[in-house]
Amino acid sequence: MTQHYEASFRGTGLRATQFTLLATLAQTGPLPLSALATMLGLERTTLTRNLGPLEKKGYVSSVADDDQRVRRIAITKKGEAAALAALDAWKQAQSTVGEVLDRMGIQDLNISRCG
């Protein structure tokens, strides 16, 4: 599955995981690092490692919080532009993911039937 999404993002300058991170911040606004990690289902250390390249590119930045112990992460204008530019790649991956699931032998994946 990861290969499918990564292939779609080739040429965008983003990895699929980076797009997800930017898209989340674009929708939520600045979030504390721990809240962002929870929302994405990542360990804080994994999230910090994933943020490094995005910070170097100027796509995200740390913003001040009332509580100096809290690190808030925000998407920058440059990050918004990068995410928007990669949106078609994400849409393409989403539109063809069913084919990948079929090739993997996973049919009729219906979340509503779970639980």
Side-chain angles (χ1 to χ4, degrees):
M1 193 59 67
T2 301
Q3 291 173 351
H4 171 71
Y5 279 88
E6 290 299 335
S8 293
F9 278 93
R10 279 193 199 108
T12 67
L14 290 175
R15 303 204 51 168
T17 53
Q18 293 171 328
F19 174 80
T20 299
L21 215 159
L22 292 176
T24 299
L25 289 170
Q27 293 175 41
T28 63
L31 287 174
L33 186 67
S34 57
L36 182 58
T38 299
M39 185 175 283
L40 294 172
L42 298 172
E43 296 289 329
R44 282 178 50 116
T45 54
T46 302
L47 177 58
T48 298
R49 192 171 43 253
N50 289 338
L51 286 170
L54 295 175
E55 286 178 310
K56 285 182 183 176
K57 290 180 178 181
Y59 293 167
V60 298
S61 65
S62 294
V63 294
D65 189 85
D66 293 338
D67 183 343
Q68 294 301 316
R69 298 169 295 173
V70 175
R71 179 178 176 206
R72 292 174 67 84
I73 307 299
I75 189 169
T76 64
K77 292 291 183 194
K78 189 174 178 182
E80 288 176 357
L84 189 58
L87 184 58
D88 284 341
W90 178 81
K91 287 179 181 179
Q92 176 62 32
Q94 284 292 102
S95 71
T96 56
V97 74
E99 298 165 19
V100 175
L101 292 172
D102 286 344
R103 283 195 306 267
M104 293 171 66
I106 302 171
Q107 278 118 26
D108 197 22
L109 185 65
N110 189 340
I111 304 284
S112 64
R113 286 197 258 165
C114 297

